Amino acid sequence: METELEKEQALIEAILFLETEPLDSATIARVSGLSKEAVEKAVENLKERYSAEVHGIEIVQVGGGYIVSPKRELWEYLKERYGKKNDSKLSKAALETLSIIAYSQPITRGEIESLRGVAADTMIRLLLDRGLIKETGKKDAPGKPIQYGTTKDFLKFFRLNSIADLPKLDDIDKERFELNG
Amino acid sequence: METELEKEQALIEAILFLETEPLDSATIARVSGLSKEAVEKAVENLKERYSAEVHGIEIVQVGGGYIVSPKRELWEYLKERYGKKNDSKLSKAALETLSIIAYSQPITRGEIESLRGVAADTMIRLLLDRGLIKETGKKDAPGKPIQYGTTKDFLKFFRLNSIADLPKLDDIDKERFELNG
Amino acid sequence: MSEDATTLADAKDSAQRFHLKDFEGPLDLLLFLIKKNEINIYDIPISEITEQYLEYLRYATKIDLDNLTDFYDMAATLVYIKSRMLLPVEIDLDEEIEDPRRVLVDKLIEYQKFKKLTDLMEEKGMEAEWIIERKKIQRPLPFPDDEVLWEQIDIWDLLQTFSTVMTSLTSERIIDLYEEVSINEKMTLIDELLETKGDFMFSDLIVHRNSMMDVVCAFLAILECVKERVIRILQNKLFGDIRICAYGERIENGNGAGEGTGAH
C-alpha cells in the first residue's frame, strides 16, 4: 500500500517535471492513468516534500494547475542565466496581458484570463514587479476581485502623455489603409 | 554550516531543474557562483536523495554533465505523452564504423578501412555531419593522416557518461577475440 | 516448379539479399560463409570458401561500385591465398612456416570482434530509441529587471497585440472594439489626473471635443466616480467648468473652488 502510493507519487513527480505549463489535476489524472483523488493526494504530498528548506524547487498552484518552479528566494541567483531565456515567448505573453490591461482597465485577473484563455498570475506578477501595472481597486462583484490598471511608469515607458493618448484600433486601420493619413 | 550546505544544494537543484542539456560541474559552479567542490558535493547529495524509490526523477550523468531525467522504470507510463522516437537511427554500416572509431580511437580512415574491408569515406562524412565523431589530430605517419574520435554528442546519443562506459565484451568473447587480436 | 525455376529463384533470392546489403563488406560475407559451413576459422578450406565467395559475387550485380571493388579485392586475395596454399612448401625446420591464411584470419577475427562490439552498441542504441525529456526549458522566471525583454516595444506593438488578442476571441467574448472611448477609459483618466494634478477640470477629461461619445463617457465616468466616492465635484457657476478633486481632499467651500478655477 505504502509503496503503491510512493510509485504513484513518483510518476506524478516525473509528469510535473516534464511539463512546462501548469497542469490541472484532471489532466494529471488522465496522463498518469490514476484517479483524480490519488493525484490530488500525491500532489499534496509532493508539495509538502518540496516545501522543505533543502529543496530549491517547489510545486506551485497557478490558475488551477500545478507547476514545478524554482523557489522565489533563489531567483536572485538564477536570474542572470534563466531570466532572459525564451524571452520571445515571455514578451509575447507579457505584452498580450499588458495590452489587455491598458485597453480594458480596470480589469480583474479573471477577466484577463477569460480573454487570453490562459492563467495570468505570472504575467500579472511580472507586470506588477515591473511597475507597469498596479492594483486600482476592487470590482463590485462577488469575491471583490482586485482590478488592475496601468501606472505612470507605463505612460513613461510608452512615451505617452496620458492614457488618453493610447492609440485606438481605428488608428491601426487608418494606418493600414492610409485613409486619413 | 548545515543550512549553508542545504541552501547550496537547493540552488543547484533549481539550476539542474531549469536546464534541458547536461551541465558539467564547472558550468554549474559558474552559474551558481559556488566552488566546484561545493557543487560536486551537493550534486552527490542530490543524486542520492533522488535515487530513493519515492522520487520519479533522478540525476543522471551524461557525457560528463548532469541532467535531471524521469526514472527509467516510469518511461513505460510516460512514453505516450512525452516520448520522442529517436528517428535518427544509424544504419548498420554507420554503426559499425562508429563502433570501430569508438573502441579504437584515435583512428585514421585507412585503419578503419582495413578493419572493415570497405571504403569508409561516406560513413566518416556521415558521422562527422551527425556530430558523432570529430577530427582529433593527425597521425605521426607518412601523409599525416587525420585521426578521428568520438564527440560529446556521441556520449549523449548513447547515454554514456564517459568513453570508459562503452559496453564491454563479456569474458568469453574477450578470450575468443583478444588472444588473437 | 521446374528445377531451373527453383535455381533461378535461389539465385534471385541471394542477389536480392546481397543487394539489400546484408553484408557490410567482404569480411562480413566471408564470416557469413564460414559460419554457414561450420568451418573452423583457424583452418579455412580456402578453395571451397573461395568458390562460394565468387558464387555470391556473381549474383551481386547491383551493389554500388565502391563496395563492389572491395568485394573483388577480397576475391583476389582469396585466389592468391589459394594459389599459395597449392604451392609446395619447402620445409625448413629452422623457420616457422607462415600460413598464407594467417593475415586474413587475423583480420577476420578482428572484424568479428568489432561486429560483436557493434551489436553491443546497437543494444545500447536501442535503449536510446525512445527518449523522454522536457521539450523546452521550464517557464522562464519573470524577473522584474529584465530590460532586454522590453527594449523594442512601442505603443503600436501594444495596440497591435491587443488587436490580435481581440480578433482571436470567439464571438461570445467579443466586445465592441471600435467603441472610441469607454467609461472605463475615462475613469482611468480620472485616476491619472487625480494622481498627477490633484484636482482638475471637467474639460481636462475631454480629449476629442467634437466627439459626443467622448463627452458622454466623461460625464458617466464622473457620475460613477462620485457614486464610488472616489471624487468630489464642484462647480463655481452655472454652466461653468466642473472642478474635480479626490473625495478625501479637504476643500474650503466656494472660496477654494474659485481659487482652483482661477489657477486654470
Side-chain angles (χ1 to χ4, degrees), chain C residues 65-91:
Chain C
L65 215 61
D66 264 9
N67 276 3
L68 200 62
T69 322
D70 295 322
F71 278 97
Y72 277 111
D73 263 3
M74 178 56 74
T77 309
L78 286 173
V79 172
Y80 171 72
I81 294 171
K82 187 176 153 189
S83 67
R84 281 276 312 272
M85 303 267 304
L86 290 173
L87 291 176
V89 182
E90 274 183 41
I91 298 169

PDB file of all heavy atoms in Angstrom, chain C residues 65-91:
ATOM      1  N   LEU C  65      29.262   0.612 -56.801  1.00  0.00           N
ATOM      2  CA  LEU C  65      30.574   0.355 -57.376  1.00  0.00           C
ATOM      3  C   LEU C  65      31.682   0.330 -56.333  1.00  0.00           C
ATOM      4  O   LEU C  65      32.568  -0.518 -56.367  1.00  0.00           O
ATOM      5  CB  LEU C  65      30.860   1.427 -58.431  1.00  0.00           C
ATOM      6  CG  LEU C  65      31.649   0.923 -59.646  1.00  0.00           C
ATOM      7  CD1 LEU C  65      30.846  -0.172 -60.344  1.00  0.00           C
ATOM      8  CD2 LEU C  65      31.916   2.079 -60.596  1.00  0.00           C
ATOM      9  N   ASP C  66      31.621   1.227 -55.400  1.00  0.00           N
ATOM     10  CA  ASP C  66      32.629   1.313 -54.342  1.00  0.00           C
ATOM     11  C   ASP C  66      32.796  -0.017 -53.647  1.00  0.00           C
ATOM     12  O   ASP C  66      33.885  -0.573 -53.562  1.00  0.00           O
ATOM     13  CB  ASP C  66      32.178   2.336 -53.290  1.00  0.00           C
ATOM     14  CG  ASP C  66      32.810   3.683 -53.582  1.00  0.00           C
ATOM     15  OD1 ASP C  66      33.412   3.795 -54.667  1.00  0.00           O
ATOM     16  OD2 ASP C  66      32.702   4.583 -52.736  1.00  0.00           O
ATOM     17  N   ASN C  67      31.678  -0.509 -53.159  1.00  0.00           N
ATOM     18  CA  ASN C  67      31.724  -1.757 -52.427  1.00  0.00           C
ATOM     19  C   ASN C  67      32.134  -2.917 -53.316  1.00  0.00           C
ATOM     20  O   ASN C  67      32.843  -3.808 -52.895  1.00  0.00           O
ATOM     21  CB  ASN C  67      30.363  -2.048 -51.805  1.00  0.00           C
ATOM     22  CG  ASN C  67      30.224  -1.317 -50.483  1.00  0.00           C
ATOM     23  OD1 ASN C  67      31.127  -0.577 -50.092  1.00  0.00           O
ATOM     24  ND2 ASN C  67      29.119  -1.535 -49.818  1.00  0.00           N
ATOM     25  N   LEU C  68      31.696  -2.857 -54.556  1.00  0.00           N
ATOM     26  CA  LEU C  68      31.999  -3.937 -55.487  1.00  0.00           C
ATOM     27  C   LEU C  68      33.510  -4.117 -55.596  1.00  0.00           C
ATOM     28  O   LEU C  68      34.023  -5.223 -55.548  1.00  0.00           O
ATOM     29  CB  LEU C  68      31.383  -3.622 -56.854  1.00  0.00           C
ATOM     30  CG  LEU C  68      31.200  -4.842 -57.749  1.00  0.00           C
ATOM     31  CD1 LEU C  68      30.244  -5.825 -57.085  1.00  0.00           C
ATOM     32  CD2 LEU C  68      30.673  -4.422 -59.114  1.00  0.00           C
ATOM     33  N   THR C  69      34.203  -2.995 -55.718  1.00  0.00           N
ATOM     34  CA  THR C  69      35.658  -3.033 -55.781  1.00  0.00           C
ATOM     35  C   THR C  69      36.226  -3.759 -54.563  1.00  0.00           C
ATOM     36  O   THR C  69      37.103  -4.610 -54.678  1.00  0.00           O
ATOM     37  CB  THR C  69      36.225  -1.602 -55.806  1.00  0.00           C
ATOM     38  OG1 THR C  69      35.375  -0.793 -56.590  1.00  0.00           O
ATOM     39  CG2 THR C  69      37.631  -1.586 -56.328  1.00  0.00           C
ATOM     40  N   ASP C  70      35.694  -3.402 -53.395  1.00  0.00           N
ATOM     41  CA  ASP C  70      36.187  -4.007 -52.165  1.00  0.00           C
ATOM     42  C   ASP C  70      35.940  -5.522 -52.168  1.00  0.00           C
ATOM     43  O   ASP C  70      36.781  -6.299 -51.749  1.00  0.00           O
ATOM     44  CB  ASP C  70      35.500  -3.373 -50.953  1.00  0.00           C
ATOM     45  CG  ASP C  70      35.860  -1.905 -50.813  1.00  0.00           C
ATOM     46  OD1 ASP C  70      37.031  -1.568 -51.083  1.00  0.00           O
ATOM     47  OD2 ASP C  70      34.983  -1.109 -50.441  1.00  0.00           O
ATOM     48  N   PHE C  71      34.766  -5.879 -52.670  1.00  0.00           N
ATOM     49  CA  PHE C  71      34.441  -7.308 -52.719  1.00  0.00           C
ATOM     50  C   PHE C  71      35.371  -8.054 -53.684  1.00  0.00           C
ATOM     51  O   PHE C  71      35.807  -9.161 -53.411  1.00  0.00           O
ATOM     52  CB  PHE C  71      32.974  -7.501 -53.134  1.00  0.00           C
ATOM     53  CG  PHE C  71      32.007  -7.348 -51.988  1.00  0.00           C
ATOM     54  CD1 PHE C  71      31.347  -6.143 -51.771  1.00  0.00           C
ATOM     55  CD2 PHE C  71      31.767  -8.415 -51.129  1.00  0.00           C
ATOM     56  CE1 PHE C  71      30.461  -5.996 -50.711  1.00  0.00           C
ATOM     57  CE2 PHE C  71      30.875  -8.267 -50.066  1.00  0.00           C
ATOM     58  CZ  PHE C  71      30.220  -7.056 -49.861  1.00  0.00           C
ATOM     59  N   TYR C  72      35.685  -7.410 -54.791  1.00  0.00           N
ATOM     60  CA  TYR C  72      36.583  -8.057 -55.753  1.00  0.00           C
ATOM     61  C   TYR C  72      38.013  -8.094 -55.245  1.00  0.00           C
ATOM     62  O   TYR C  72      38.755  -9.038 -55.517  1.00  0.00           O
ATOM     63  CB  TYR C  72      36.478  -7.402 -57.128  1.00  0.00           C
ATOM     64  CG  TYR C  72      35.296  -7.958 -57.902  1.00  0.00           C
ATOM     65  CD1 TYR C  72      34.172  -7.202 -58.172  1.00  0.00           C
ATOM     66  CD2 TYR C  72      35.322  -9.302 -58.336  1.00  0.00           C
ATOM     67  CE1 TYR C  72      33.081  -7.731 -58.848  1.00  0.00           C
ATOM     68  CE2 TYR C  72      34.236  -9.848 -59.011  1.00  0.00           C
ATOM     69  CZ  TYR C  72      33.117  -9.058 -59.263  1.00  0.00           C
ATOM     70  OH  TYR C  72      32.049  -9.596 -59.916  1.00  0.00           O
ATOM     71  N   ASP C  73      38.386  -7.106 -54.499  1.00  0.00           N
ATOM     72  CA  ASP C  73      39.705  -7.103 -53.852  1.00  0.00           C
ATOM     73  C   ASP C  73      39.866  -8.344 -53.019  1.00  0.00           C
ATOM     74  O   ASP C  73      40.882  -9.042 -53.057  1.00  0.00           O
ATOM     75  CB  ASP C  73      39.823  -5.883 -52.920  1.00  0.00           C
ATOM     76  CG  ASP C  73      40.552  -4.741 -53.609  1.00  0.00           C
ATOM     77  OD1 ASP C  73      40.892  -4.925 -54.796  1.00  0.00           O
ATOM     78  OD2 ASP C  73      40.759  -3.700 -52.965  1.00  0.00           O
ATOM     79  N   MET C  74      38.836  -8.615 -52.234  1.00  0.00           N
ATOM     80  CA  MET C  74      38.866  -9.781 -51.368  1.00  0.00           C
ATOM     81  C   MET C  74      38.914 -11.067 -52.194  1.00  0.00           C
ATOM     82  O   MET C  74      39.654 -11.993 -51.869  1.00  0.00           O
ATOM     83  CB  MET C  74      37.630  -9.792 -50.456  1.00  0.00           C
ATOM     84  CG  MET C  74      37.538 -10.990 -49.544  1.00  0.00           C
ATOM     85  SD  MET C  74      39.001 -11.221 -48.498  1.00  0.00           S
ATOM     86  CE  MET C  74      38.772  -9.907 -47.329  1.00  0.00           C
ATOM     87  N   ALA C  75      38.184 -11.075 -53.286  1.00  0.00           N
ATOM     88  CA  ALA C  75      38.203 -12.241 -54.171  1.00  0.00           C
ATOM     89  C   ALA C  75      39.637 -12.496 -54.641  1.00  0.00           C
ATOM     90  O   ALA C  75      40.126 -13.641 -54.614  1.00  0.00           O
ATOM     91  CB  ALA C  75      37.279 -12.002 -55.353  1.00  0.00           C
ATOM     92  N   ALA C  76      40.312 -11.429 -55.010  1.00  0.00           N
ATOM     93  CA  ALA C  76      41.686 -11.549 -55.471  1.00  0.00           C
ATOM     94  C   ALA C  76      42.581 -12.103 -54.368  1.00  0.00           C
ATOM     95  O   ALA C  76      43.409 -12.997 -54.596  1.00  0.00           O
ATOM     96  CB  ALA C  76      42.191 -10.195 -55.937  1.00  0.00           C
ATOM     97  N   THR C  77      42.362 -11.577 -53.153  1.00  0.00           N
ATOM     98  CA  THR C  77      43.147 -12.063 -52.023  1.00  0.00           C
ATOM     99  C   THR C  77      42.933 -13.564 -51.818  1.00  0.00           C
ATOM    100  O   THR C  77      43.876 -14.319 -51.589  1.00  0.00           O
ATOM    101  CB  THR C  77      42.757 -11.298 -50.738  1.00  0.00           C
ATOM    102  OG1 THR C  77      42.816  -9.910 -51.004  1.00  0.00           O
ATOM    103  CG2 THR C  77      43.668 -11.656 -49.588  1.00  0.00           C
ATOM    104  N   LEU C  78      41.667 -13.948 -51.893  1.00  0.00           N
ATOM    105  CA  LEU C  78      41.348 -15.356 -51.679  1.00  0.00           C
ATOM    106  C   LEU C  78      42.030 -16.247 -52.720  1.00  0.00           C
ATOM    107  O   LEU C  78      42.626 -17.274 -52.399  1.00  0.00           O
ATOM    108  CB  LEU C  78      39.825 -15.567 -51.727  1.00  0.00           C
ATOM    109  CG  LEU C  78      39.030 -15.069 -50.523  1.00  0.00           C
ATOM    110  CD1 LEU C  78      37.536 -15.182 -50.785  1.00  0.00           C
ATOM    111  CD2 LEU C  78      39.410 -15.842 -49.255  1.00  0.00           C
ATOM    112  N   VAL C  79      41.934 -15.797 -53.947  1.00  0.00           N
ATOM    113  CA  VAL C  79      42.547 -16.575 -55.032  1.00  0.00           C
ATOM    114  C   VAL C  79      44.061 -16.660 -54.824  1.00  0.00           C
ATOM    115  O   VAL C  79      44.687 -17.696 -54.989  1.00  0.00           O
ATOM    116  CB  VAL C  79      42.205 -15.956 -56.405  1.00  0.00           C
ATOM    117  CG1 VAL C  79      43.000 -16.652 -57.519  1.00  0.00           C
ATOM    118  CG2 VAL C  79      40.708 -16.062 -56.677  1.00  0.00           C
ATOM    119  N   TYR C  80      44.624 -15.578 -54.376  1.00  0.00           N
ATOM    120  CA  TYR C  80      46.071 -15.532 -54.123  1.00  0.00           C
ATOM    121  C   TYR C  80      46.446 -16.515 -53.018  1.00  0.00           C
ATOM    122  O   TYR C  80      47.375 -17.313 -53.162  1.00  0.00           O
ATOM    123  CB  TYR C  80      46.482 -14.106 -53.728  1.00  0.00           C
ATOM    124  CG  TYR C  80      47.900 -14.003 -53.238  1.00  0.00           C
ATOM    125  CD1 TYR C  80      48.966 -14.120 -54.127  1.00  0.00           C
ATOM    126  CD2 TYR C  80      48.165 -13.754 -51.876  1.00  0.00           C
ATOM    127  CE1 TYR C  80      50.267 -14.039 -53.673  1.00  0.00           C
ATOM    128  CE2 TYR C  80      49.470 -13.673 -51.416  1.00  0.00           C
ATOM    129  CZ  TYR C  80      50.522 -13.807 -52.317  1.00  0.00           C
ATOM    130  OH  TYR C  80      51.793 -13.721 -51.874  1.00  0.00           O
ATOM    131  N   ILE C  81      45.667 -16.466 -51.938  1.00  0.00           N
ATOM    132  CA  ILE C  81      45.954 -17.383 -50.836  1.00  0.00           C
ATOM    133  C   ILE C  81      45.823 -18.838 -51.301  1.00  0.00           C
ATOM    134  O   ILE C  81      46.652 -19.691 -50.987  1.00  0.00           O
ATOM    135  CB  ILE C  81      44.998 -17.126 -49.643  1.00  0.00           C
ATOM    136  CG1 ILE C  81      45.258 -15.741 -49.043  1.00  0.00           C
ATOM    137  CG2 ILE C  81      45.170 -18.202 -48.564  1.00  0.00           C
ATOM    138  CD1 ILE C  81      44.231 -15.311 -48.001  1.00  0.00           C
ATOM    139  N   LYS C  82      44.791 -19.046 -52.083  1.00  0.00           N
ATOM    140  CA  LYS C  82      44.539 -20.386 -52.598  1.00  0.00           C
ATOM    141  C   LYS C  82      45.757 -20.882 -53.393  1.00  0.00           C
ATOM    142  O   LYS C  82      46.245 -21.996 -53.208  1.00  0.00           O
ATOM    143  CB  LYS C  82      43.292 -20.353 -53.491  1.00  0.00           C
ATOM    144  CG  LYS C  82      42.818 -21.706 -53.952  1.00  0.00           C
ATOM    145  CD  LYS C  82      41.515 -21.553 -54.742  1.00  0.00           C
ATOM    146  CE  LYS C  82      41.370 -22.698 -55.736  1.00  0.00           C
ATOM    147  NZ  LYS C  82      40.246 -22.459 -56.661  1.00  0.00           N
ATOM    148  N   SER C  83      46.278 -19.998 -54.243  1.00  0.00           N
ATOM    149  CA  SER C  83      47.427 -20.382 -55.052  1.00  0.00           C
ATOM    150  C   SER C  83      48.651 -20.637 -54.183  1.00  0.00           C
ATOM    151  O   SER C  83      49.408 -21.570 -54.419  1.00  0.00           O
ATOM    152  CB  SER C  83      47.712 -19.311 -56.098  1.00  0.00           C
ATOM    153  OG  SER C  83      48.140 -18.130 -55.453  1.00  0.00           O
ATOM    154  N   ARG C  84      48.811 -19.813 -53.154  1.00  0.00           N
ATOM    155  CA  ARG C  84      49.946 -20.011 -52.240  1.00  0.00           C
ATOM    156  C   ARG C  84      49.847 -21.356 -51.553  1.00  0.00           C
ATOM    157  O   ARG C  84      50.840 -22.042 -51.349  1.00  0.00           O
ATOM    158  CB  ARG C  84      49.928 -18.910 -51.147  1.00  0.00           C
ATOM    159  CG  ARG C  84      50.469 -17.562 -51.578  1.00  0.00           C
ATOM    160  CD  ARG C  84      51.989 -17.476 -51.477  1.00  0.00           C
ATOM    161  NE  ARG C  84      52.526 -17.942 -50.219  1.00  0.00           N
ATOM    162  CZ  ARG C  84      52.691 -17.172 -49.129  1.00  0.00           C
ATOM    163  NH1 ARG C  84      52.341 -15.899 -49.184  1.00  0.00           N
ATOM    164  NH2 ARG C  84      53.198 -17.677 -48.028  1.00  0.00           N
ATOM    165  N   MET C  85      48.630 -21.735 -51.205  1.00  0.00           N
ATOM    166  CA  MET C  85      48.420 -22.988 -50.494  1.00  0.00           C
ATOM    167  C   MET C  85      48.739 -24.187 -51.394  1.00  0.00           C
ATOM    168  O   MET C  85      49.069 -25.260 -50.914  1.00  0.00           O
ATOM    169  CB  MET C  85      46.963 -23.109 -50.017  1.00  0.00           C
ATOM    170  CG  MET C  85      46.495 -21.987 -49.134  1.00  0.00           C
ATOM    171  SD  MET C  85      46.656 -22.261 -47.364  1.00  0.00           S
ATOM    172  CE  MET C  85      45.785 -23.759 -47.061  1.00  0.00           C
ATOM    173  N   LEU C  86      48.551 -23.974 -52.695  1.00  0.00           N
ATOM    174  CA  LEU C  86      48.773 -25.074 -53.622  1.00  0.00           C
ATOM    175  C   LEU C  86      50.252 -25.307 -53.892  1.00  0.00           C
ATOM    176  O   LEU C  86      50.674 -26.385 -54.275  1.00  0.00           O
ATOM    177  CB  LEU C  86      48.038 -24.816 -54.932  1.00  0.00           C
ATOM    178  CG  LEU C  86      46.498 -24.904 -54.829  1.00  0.00           C
ATOM    179  CD1 LEU C  86      45.853 -24.471 -56.128  1.00  0.00           C
ATOM    180  CD2 LEU C  86      46.055 -26.297 -54.434  1.00  0.00           C
ATOM    181  N   LEU C  87      51.065 -24.270 -53.698  1.00  0.00           N
ATOM    182  CA  LEU C  87      52.500 -24.391 -53.947  1.00  0.00           C
ATOM    183  C   LEU C  87      53.141 -25.325 -52.939  1.00  0.00           C
ATOM    184  O   LEU C  87      52.793 -25.325 -51.768  1.00  0.00           O
ATOM    185  CB  LEU C  87      53.168 -23.014 -53.849  1.00  0.00           C
ATOM    186  CG  LEU C  87      52.838 -21.996 -54.944  1.00  0.00           C
ATOM    187  CD1 LEU C  87      53.508 -20.667 -54.624  1.00  0.00           C
ATOM    188  CD2 LEU C  87      53.276 -22.522 -56.294  1.00  0.00           C
ATOM    189  N   PRO C  88      54.029 -26.130 -53.412  1.00  0.00           N
ATOM    190  CA  PRO C  88      54.743 -26.994 -52.465  1.00  0.00           C
ATOM    191  C   PRO C  88      55.588 -26.149 -51.516  1.00  0.00           C
ATOM    192  O   PRO C  88      56.234 -25.197 -51.928  1.00  0.00           O
ATOM    193  CB  PRO C  88      55.611 -27.862 -53.368  1.00  0.00           C
ATOM    194  CG  PRO C  88      55.713 -27.111 -54.646  1.00  0.00           C
ATOM    195  CD  PRO C  88      54.480 -26.298 -54.785  1.00  0.00           C
ATOM    196  N   VAL C  89      55.516 -26.450 -50.264  1.00  0.00           N
ATOM    197  CA  VAL C  89      56.292 -25.692 -49.292  1.00  0.00           C
ATOM    198  C   VAL C  89      57.566 -26.446 -48.965  1.00  0.00           C
ATOM    199  O   VAL C  89      57.547 -27.632 -48.675  1.00  0.00           O
ATOM    200  CB  VAL C  89      55.474 -25.491 -48.007  1.00  0.00           C
ATOM    201  CG1 VAL C  89      56.246 -24.667 -47.007  1.00  0.00           C
ATOM    202  CG2 VAL C  89      54.125 -24.848 -48.311  1.00  0.00           C
ATOM    203  N   GLU C  90      58.645 -25.727 -49.080  1.00  0.00           N
ATOM    204  CA  GLU C  90      59.902 -26.363 -48.701  1.00  0.00           C
ATOM    205  C   GLU C  90      60.050 -26.308 -47.202  1.00  0.00           C
ATOM    206  O   GLU C  90      60.003 -25.249 -46.599  1.00  0.00           O
ATOM    207  CB  GLU C  90      61.064 -25.620 -49.361  1.00  0.00           C
ATOM    208  CG  GLU C  90      61.320 -26.128 -50.761  1.00  0.00           C
ATOM    209  CD  GLU C  90      62.509 -25.452 -51.376  1.00  0.00           C
ATOM    210  OE1 GLU C  90      63.508 -25.248 -50.664  1.00  0.00           O
ATOM    211  OE2 GLU C  90      62.416 -25.101 -52.554  1.00  0.00           O
ATOM    212  N   ILE C  91      60.183 -27.477 -46.662  1.00  0.00           N
ATOM    213  CA  ILE C  91      60.218 -27.499 -45.211  1.00  0.00           C
ATOM    214  C   ILE C  91      61.590 -27.094 -44.691  1.00  0.00           C
ATOM    215  O   ILE C  91      62.612 -27.676 -45.014  1.00  0.00           O
ATOM    216  CB  ILE C  91      59.839 -28.890 -44.674  1.00  0.00           C
ATOM    217  CG1 ILE C  91      58.400 -29.195 -45.100  1.00  0.00           C
ATOM    218  CG2 ILE C  91      59.972 -28.953 -43.156  1.00  0.00           C
ATOM    219  CD1 ILE C  91      57.982 -30.614 -44.873  1.00  0.00           C
TER     220      ILE C  91
END
